[in-house]
Amino acid sequence: MGVKYDCVTWSVDKNMTHMFEWYPESPSITRLPENYTVSVDNQTLIHKPSGTPMIKYADGEFKVLTNILDWEMYICLNRKAGFVTFENDGEVRIGAIVSGGDGDCLTTIRGNSTIIYHDSIWSEASIEIQGMKIKGNMDNVHGNLPFIYCHNFTATDVKIYDVNRIYAKGSITLKNVFIRDEADESKYVHDVLDRELMPGMYIRAGIGMMVEDSDIYIHNYIEGYMLTFVRSHVVVHNLVSQKLVINSMSRILLDNSALDVERSNNTDVATTLDLIYIKSGNLILKNDSRINAKNDAYQIMEYACITLGEGNIVISDSQIKTTAYPKAINMLCYGDLIVNPTGAAVRTNFGFAPLVSYREAFRFKTELNGYKMWVYVNGRTVTHVECISGESYLEDFEPKAYSAYVQSCLSRILPGPEGQNKLALMASTVPAGSRDGVLRIQAD
């Protein structure tokens, strides 16, 4: 109908077809199920048999006044700023809360109630949840698991249970959030009915993820461009998913936090990939943080507990423990592998052994056409260039073109050994007298 009003719809096919709808701001297009009616001003939805007011609407806000049990009900928001406020302390069992807004729109869900839903909490824009308990309910009709999907997601003082995924195209911010997926781990191996593997919950942010004062225990994976954990405890017990368990494109920071990551070889699935992976950036632990990475399935493909594609372990007043086996920690970095910014010693119970000798892999600075850049070289080959500074370089700098140019005149501009900025080293752990099968990195 092209209507952009906020509304409540009733649907049996994931809100694709509206069997009934209530448009508080447009009574002329309202069609209600038989067990509902509305107030004279069309602003309150009433349960007809009992006469109980259920939802009141005013100024872009749905106020849920009482418990609701209606799996076909969808609360739909279309304003720039839409609110769903739960004013009772009970349970509301509905299909979904969805938002049609995009861009800088914000959907806010708040109160002190429990939402149990079988479809989604969904928006193309941003969602913020305050003070709620969110619980997914398996939809046996459609076979789908409930999820949260949006651009930016913020949750404060929230408990989340049995939700298949939190998927944000932008950022995720969790403050004082408690998250659990299905507690029965046997279901991740074989479902009771059809013997299919169940994936467990995952949390994915397209950009950054900030987790503060939170407690998370899930069974799939966590992914984000940058991951930050502050005063939090996060456990990911991956049983069947063939994923990087903790995956960051840029860096992972733990501040007074604990990260427990485990993959067990207790299924017939060929589990793959590393436990903790950073493509290009540092793994940073400070203020009594710890990482415990346990990989009982490493024999399958010998994947690592921790892999840093290009970066350092930066650690102070913290500890890292991994399962003891060759290749448990793989790193490609410039300079020292493990760094303590305080200058204090770092103690390990293992040694690093080079996998590949990269003595001819290095980088140096140069300046071309007004651009200062890092040039990365392996042997006599320019692998890539990285702009440091230059006017309007974001628009004009062409890495491929400069790589080709530097390659053509490499012998002329190649610096001597004194000009090489650090050697690149790929290394892996080799147990050195570890009696308990654990590799330790300890910074006091």
Side-chain angles (χ1 to χ4, degrees):
M1 294 180 293
V3 177
K4 294 298 182 181
Y5 297 129
D6 291 346
C7 62
V8 174
T9 68
W10 286 263
S11 175
V12 295
D13 57 0
K14 298 289 185 181
N15 209 33
M16 300 298 294
T17 302
H18 296 180
M19 299 183 299
F20 306 99
E21 56 267 321
W22 170 46
Y23 287 88
E25 296 175 302
S26 183
S28 61
I29 56 176
T30 291
R31 296 183 297 123
L32 293 173
E34 292 184 358
N35 59 328
Y36 291 103
T37 185
V38 295
S39 59
V40 175
D41 62 2
N42 202 54
Q43 298 300 294
T44 303
L45 182 70
I46 300 171
H47 183 243
K48 187 188 295 185
S50 65
T52 303
M54 302 192 75
I55 301 176
K56 184 177 181 179
Y57 180 85
D59 300 323
E61 178 181 18
F62 284 106
K63 291 185 177 180
V64 180
L65 308 175
T66 186
N67 296 354
I68 295 176
L69 175 55
D70 191 340
W71 293 119
E72 297 174 0
M73 177 183 286
Y74 285 68
I75 297 177
C76 308
L77 303 168
N78 289 289
R79 287 175 173 260
K80 188 178 182 67
F83 297 87
V84 181
T85 303
F86 294 81
E87 298 198 335
N88 67 321
D89 296 333
E91 291 185 349
V92 174
R93 298 171 179 252
I94 59 176
I97 298 176
V98 299
S99 173
D102 54 14
D104 59 352
C105 296
L106 174 63
T107 295
T108 301
I109 302 169
R110 58 193 180 185
N112 193 33
S113 298
T114 299
I115 302 176
I116 302 175
Y117 67 102
H118 67 78
D119 188 349
S120 62
I121 295 175
W122 181 94
S123 175
E124 284 291 350
S126 297
I127 292 176
E128 183 170 337
I129 302 179
Q130 304 167 357
M132 298 292 298
K133 181 183 289 186
I134 309 296
K135 188 172 183 179
N137 184 71
M138 176 67 176
D139 181 0
N140 294 320
V141 175
H142 297 88
N144 293 335
L145 297 172
F147 61 91
I148 296 172
Y149 173 92
C150 57
H151 191 274
N152 297 314
F153 179 73
T154 301
T156 305
D157 303 326
V158 172
K159 295 182 178 180
I160 300 175
Y161 299 89
D162 300 338
V163 172
N164 174 254
R165 62 192 178 275
I166 299 175
Y167 188 105
K169 294 184 292 183
S171 62
I172 291 177
T173 303
L174 307 176
K175 296 181 180 180
N176 191 28
V177 173
F178 181 92
I179 298 178
R180 294 291 188 273
D181 55 8
E182 175 60 60
D184 184 0
E185 292 191 350
S186 66
K187 290 191 175 182
Y188 298 110
V189 181
H190 292 292
D191 181 76
V192 175
L193 298 178
D194 52 19
R195 310 291 289 177
E196 291 184 356
L197 299 171
M198 295 184 68
M201 180 184 183
Y202 68 87
I203 305 173
R204 183 191 182 279
I207 306 177
M209 185 183 305
M210 168 65 76
V211 180
E212 295 184 58
D213 302 304
S214 296
D215 184 346
I216 300 172
Y217 193 124
I218 58 176
H219 289 83
N220 205 328
Y221 67 91
I222 293 176
E223 179 179 329
Y225 191 84
M226 298 177 69
L227 303 178
T228 303
F229 304 98
V230 180
R231 298 180 301 277
S232 297
H233 185 202
V234 177
V235 180
V236 184
H237 188 187
N238 184 290
L239 295 176
V240 298
S241 174
Q242 300 182 37
K243 292 281 188 178
L244 296 162
V245 184
I246 305 293
N247 181 17
S248 171
M249 295 293 292
S250 180
R251 66 117 174 95
I252 297 175
L253 168 64
L254 277 73
D255 184 352
N256 192 23
S257 296
L259 178 59
D260 294 309
V261 186
E262 182 176 3
R263 176 176 280 142
S264 299
N265 188 15
N266 59 356
T267 74
D268 55 358
V269 176
T271 54
T272 61
L273 303 182
D274 307 315
L275 296 187
I276 299 173
Y277 177 81
I278 303 175
K279 183 176 182 181
S280 179
N282 295 331
L283 175 61
I284 305 169
L285 292 85
K286 62 181 183 178
N287 296 329
D288 198 28
S289 294
R290 65 172 173 82
I291 288 178
N292 185 14
K294 183 179 179 182
N295 186 14
D296 288 344
Y298 73 88
Q299 299 95 336
I300 297 175
M301 293 293 289
E302 294 189 0
Y303 286 102
C305 291
I306 299 173
T307 291
L308 276 62
E310 187 174 307
N312 306 87
I313 293 177
V314 182
I315 183 169
S316 59
D317 189 26
S318 299
Q319 178 178 264
I320 297 175
K321 292 168 43 177
T322 76
T323 303
Y325 60 95
K327 301 183 182 179
I329 301 176
N330 294 330
M331 301 170 63
L332 171 61
C333 70
Y334 291 88
D336 296 331
L337 300 174
I338 305 172
V339 180
N340 188 341
T342 69
V346 177
R347 293 181 287 112
T348 64
N349 68 339
F350 63 92
F352 280 100
L355 288 176
V356 182
S357 176
Y358 277 100
R359 293 184 179 180
E360 294 187 355
F362 59 93
R363 65 179 180 177
F364 64 90
K365 289 181 182 179
T366 190
E367 185 171 344
L368 294 170
N369 296 338
Y371 297 109
K372 291 181 180 180
M373 66 188 76
W374 284 113
V375 178
Y376 293 80
V377 179
N378 190 347
R380 308 288 293 181
T381 302
V382 176
T383 56
H384 66 285
V385 298
E386 177 184 323
C387 185
I388 299 172
S389 64
E391 281 190 39
S392 303
Y393 74 88
L394 291 176
E395 297 179 5
D396 301 330
F397 187 77
E398 294 290 342
K400 291 183 179 180
Y402 279 97
S403 293
Y405 176 79
V406 174
Q407 182 68 59
S408 67
C409 57
L410 183 63
S411 60
R412 178 168 55 86
I413 65 174
L414 191 66
E418 70 282 353
Q420 298 178 7
N421 186 281
K422 308 294 184 182
L423 295 179
L425 175 65
M426 178 76 79
S428 67
T429 58
V430 176
S434 178
R435 295 183 179 180
D436 56 1
V438 175
L439 303 178
R440 282 189 177 86
I441 301 173
Q442 179 76 47
D444 298 320

